[in-house]
Amino acid sequence: MPSPYRAIFAAPGSKAFSAAGFLGRMPLSMMGVGIVVMISQLTGRYGLAGALSATLALSAAAVGPQISRLVDRHGQGRVLRPAALIAVGAVGGLLVCAQQGAPDWTLFVFAAGAGCVPSVGAMVRARWAALYRGRPRELHTAYSWESIADEVCFIFGPIISIGLSTSWFPEAGPLLAALFLLMGVFWLTAQRATEPVPHPREEHSGGSPLRSRGLRVLVAAFVATGAIFGGVDVVTVAFAEEQGNKAAASLVLAVYALGSCLAGAVFGLLHVRGEPARRWLLGVCVMAVSMIPLLLAGNLLFLAVALFVAGLSVAPTMVTTMALVEAHVPRTKLTEGMTWTSTGLAVGVALGSSAAGWAVDAAGAGAGYAVPVAAGALAAAVAFPGYRRLARPAPTQGGRGADERSDEHGIKSADEERVA
C-alpha cells in the first residue's frame, strides 16, 4: 500500500471501521441490480423491475437523511441497528412476495420498506472527518480510499448479485445483499471508540443543511449523476441479454467500476492544489461527455471499453464532492450533509433506472443508452451555473469559518476578499 494510505490507517480503529463500512456498503451495488435481475428472471418485465428498483432508491432518498439526522443527534450506535433490521425485514418480505407471485402492489410496499437503509458510506466518512479534522491531506487521502472502497463494491457487487441470481436462484443476490448490510452495520456500530460524538438538538440550530446554497447545487447535480448510474445498470443488463449473455452484464459493470477505482487510487496519492469547485465542474463535464460513446456500442467488448473510460472520471469527482460538502455544511450536521449527496444519487438512480427500463421495453437496449446520455447533459447544465456558489462557501453556524476552509480547499475567505 502506498505511503499516504498507510499513514491514514496508522490511527487506532481506522482499519476496523473502514472494513465494516466496506461490508455494509455492498448492498449499495447489489440490491438495485439484484432486484432488476430477480424480477426479470421471474416475470420477464423490465419495466416492473426498473420501477421496483426506483421505488427502493426513492425510499432510501426520503428516509436516509432522516436517519443521518438522528445519527448526528443520538450517535451511530443507537440509530443504525434498528434501521438496518427494518430494511432487512422488508427485503425478506419482497423476496417472498416475488417468489410466490404476489400482486405487484405488495412488491412496491416491501421495496419502499427496504429503503430504510442507512447511508453506511456517510457514516464511515464522518468517522474519517472526526479523526482527521483540520488535516486536509490526510482527509483527502481518506476520502479517496473510501471512494476506492465504493468502486470495489461496484466491481464485485454486481458480479456476485447477478451471478448468484442467474446461476443459483433469482432471489439469491438481494438476499446476500441484506445479509451484508446486517453484518456490516452491527460490526461498525460495535466500534464505539471511533464513533463521532453526537450533537444534542440544541446544537442543531439553523435548520436543514440544505439551506446551504452550495449543498443544493451538489445534490441537484448528483440527481442527474445518479440517473447516469441507474440508466447504465438497467440498460447494460438488457443489452447483455440481447447479446445472448445476460450474466456478462456483471463483468461489464465491474469494468465500469474498475476504471473509477483505479482513478480514485491515483487521485488519493496526489497533493491536489487549486480550487476544488473547478475540479468538480471538470469532473461532471467529463462524466457527461463519456456517456456519448455508449450509443455506438455494437457488442459487449466495445461497451466494456467505453464504460472503463467513462469510469475514470467518477471517483475523483466523488472525492472532490466530499471535500466540498465539508466546506459547505456545519460540523454538527456533517453526516446529514453527506447523506444528502447520497440522497441525490439515489433519486437519480430511481429516475434513471425507471426511465431506462421503460426505454428498453419500448425501443430496445441500444436506444436505452440515450437515458444516461441525457442525464449527463443535465448534470453539466446544473454544474455550470452552480459553480459560483461552490467557489465561495460562506461561514456556517456550528461549523468551521470560511477562513479555516480556505486553507484546506484553496478558497479565499470573505475577509481575504475584502482585503484584496
Side-chain angles (χ1 to χ4, degrees):
M1 184 180 293
S3 57
Y5 292 112
R6 286 201 307 269
I8 62 170
F9 283 110
S14 56
K15 294 178 182 177
F17 75 67
S18 185
F22 174 80
L23 188 63
R25 268 178 293 185
M26 285 297 287
L28 183 66
S29 64
M30 295 177 64
M31 190 65 73
V33 72
I35 289 174
V36 170
V37 174
M38 176 183 71
I39 297 300
S40 65
Q41 290 276 97
L42 293 174
T43 69
R45 298 164 61 190
Y46 275 98
L48 175 62
L52 286 172
S53 179
T55 300
L56 172 70
L58 285 173
S59 176
V63 177
Q66 312 310 318
I67 294 175
S68 294
R69 181 175 299 174
L70 292 173
V71 166
D72 281 333
R73 293 179 179 178
H74 304 290
Q76 295 183 3
R78 294 180 60 186
V79 177
L80 298 188
R81 291 187 177 187
L85 288 172
I86 293 172
V88 169
V91 170
L94 173 63
L95 301 188
V96 170
C97 289
Q99 198 275 332
Q100 295 296 318
D104 289 354
W105 68 266
T106 62
L107 303 179
F108 284 98
V109 168
F110 283 114
C116 190
V117 178
S119 178
V120 178
M123 306 303 158
V124 176
R125 287 179 172 90
R127 293 190 181 220
W128 284 118
L131 192 63
Y132 289 122
R133 181 166 288 117
R135 299 168 65 180
R137 288 190 177 181
E138 288 85 352
L139 200 54
H140 167 78
T141 304
Y143 286 157
S144 297
W145 174 263
E146 292 305 318
S147 289
I148 294 170
D150 285 339
E151 300 310 327
V152 171
C153 287
F154 277 95
I155 291 172
F156 292 104
I159 294 175
I160 296 170
S161 187
I162 296 174
L164 288 178
S165 291
T166 54
S167 63
W168 195 8
F169 57 91
E171 302 85 3
L175 177 61
L176 185 59
L179 294 177
F180 279 149
L181 174 65
L182 202 61
M183 291 186 293
V185 166
F186 274 73
W187 185 13
L188 179 66
T189 53
Q191 302 172 45
R192 300 296 179 87
T194 54
E195 181 178 346
V197 177
H199 301 276
R201 181 186 295 269
E202 54 268 20
E203 296 183 22
H204 286 259
S205 59
S208 168
L210 274 181
R211 295 183 65 179
S212 164
R213 297 191 303 166
L215 182 60
R216 290 200 296 269
V217 170
L218 295 173
V219 172
F222 266 39
V223 171
T225 303
I228 294 175
F229 300 154
V232 167
D233 282 352
V234 172
V235 180
T236 298
V237 173
F239 185 85
E241 185 174 32
E242 284 187 1
Q243 296 290 311
N245 192 358
K246 187 175 184 178
S250 61
L251 297 176
V252 175
L253 292 173
V255 169
Y256 185 27
L258 178 62
S260 179
C261 180
L262 294 177
V266 173
F267 191 65
L269 298 176
L270 302 177
H271 296 307
V272 293
R273 297 182 181 276
E275 193 176 345
R278 188 170 298 168
R279 294 197 303 271
W280 178 82
L281 175 62
L282 177 62
V284 170
C285 292
V286 172
M287 275 198 292
V289 172
S290 68
M291 291 295 105
I292 297 175
L294 303 184
L295 293 171
L296 307 176
N299 54 64
L300 289 173
L301 179 59
F302 181 95
L303 178 63
V305 173
L307 284 176
F308 176 82
V309 174
L312 295 175
S313 61
V314 174
T317 305
M318 298 299 180
V319 173
T320 305
T321 298
M322 292 302 108
L324 288 170
V325 170
E326 194 194 10
H328 285 265
V329 173
R331 183 180 303 171
T332 57
K333 302 176 183 179
L334 183 58
T335 305
E336 184 183 352
M338 289 182 173
T339 302
W340 273 113
T341 61
S342 300
T343 294
L345 281 174
V347 171
V349 168
L351 297 175
S353 60
S354 182
W358 293 114
V360 168
D361 283 344
Y369 280 117
V371 172
V373 171
L378 180 60
V382 172
F384 271 105
Y387 163 74
R388 291 183 179 275
R389 293 186 179 183
L390 294 172
R392 294 183 182 178
T396 49
Q397 185 176 2
R400 290 173 296 165
D403 53 339
E404 292 177 84
R405 288 193 298 271
S406 66
D407 292 337
E408 294 188 24
H409 301 290
I411 304 171
K412 289 184 179 181
S413 68
D415 290 338
E416 290 173 326
E417 291 289 338
R418 284 194 294 269
V419 171

